Amino acid sequence: MYQPPLFRETRPDILHALIRAHPLGLMISATPDGPIADTVPFLLEPDVGPHGRLNAHVARANPHWRQIADNPALPVLVVFQSVNTYITPSWYETKRETGKVVPTWNYAMVQVRGTARVIENADWLAGQIRALTTRHEGGRAEPWAVSDAPDAYIASQIKGIVGIEIDITDIDGKWKVSQNRPVADRIGVVAGLQAEQDNAAAQEMAGIVRTFGGLDEA
């Protein structure tokens, strides 16, 4: 992806944190007929290999896994997207000073490339769905567990899915969150976003701009 140096993020802990917070990734593979893409919830194993590993599953009826199985040498791309917000130039101090401003969009994302493998082993699939469920049910007041469903039912569901394991060979982050604007403009962006009190994405982005725009240190 296009990466101005000011927006590039390389710290593994920051990259991994975005994946954990926004685990529904867009998995993209190349085919002779053009690229194919599917949204898939992933689990990250950060300590496997130099950059970590992603685990997921897809429906057996989904042809994407066959493309991966038939082309093991072709890398896959997975895109994880955080919150994103429109930024009006009306928030900039520069607008009042010179008028030389235009709208933009703030966002944070991680792109992962890696070697994918298809896994059809029932024990691996059972472990993957237990881990995925535990990850997303753990904080609930009454968490659902795979064991809450009948064993025969879960076994039948496992027959309908196929596992995907991606060893990460390259991971790149882009935090385009107003770092290129003067401090006064960044302060204006935070104030403008915080004023949108009914917009959860705006509230989250305000915090991101403060942190990555160096305002928390001011």
Side-chain angles (χ1 to χ4, degrees), residues 90-195:
S90 298
W91 293 337
Y92 295 156
E93 181 63 26
T94 302
K95 175 182 182 294
R96 287 172 280 281
E97 294 174 347
T98 69
K100 296 178 180 180
V101 291
V102 293
T104 191
W105 211 278
N106 276 8
Y107 57 88
M109 68 162 52
V110 172
Q111 291 192 3
V112 170
R113 287 174 173 80
T115 304
R117 290 181 297 278
V118 168
I119 300 177
E120 299 186 74
N121 179 274
D123 290 338
W124 187 97
L125 289 165
Q128 199 272 332
I129 62 173
R130 283 196 301 269
L132 187 65
T133 301
T134 299
R135 169 70 179 82
H136 296 289
E137 291 281 344
R140 297 181 181 275
E142 297 183 9
W144 181 87
V146 174
S147 58
D148 290 344
D151 291 344
Y153 174 77
I154 295 299
S156 69
Q157 294 295 297
I158 288 175
K159 291 179 181 178
I161 61 176
V162 175
I164 304 290
E165 192 175 68
I166 302 172
D167 285 330
I168 300 173
T169 57
D170 183 67
I171 182 168
D172 205 11
K174 184 175 182 179
W175 266 247
K176 181 186 173 298
V177 291
S178 301
Q179 306 99 310
N180 59 325
R181 302 302 310 175
V183 172
D185 287 357
R186 279 176 262 157
I187 291 172
V189 167
V190 170
L193 290 167
Q194 289 178 332

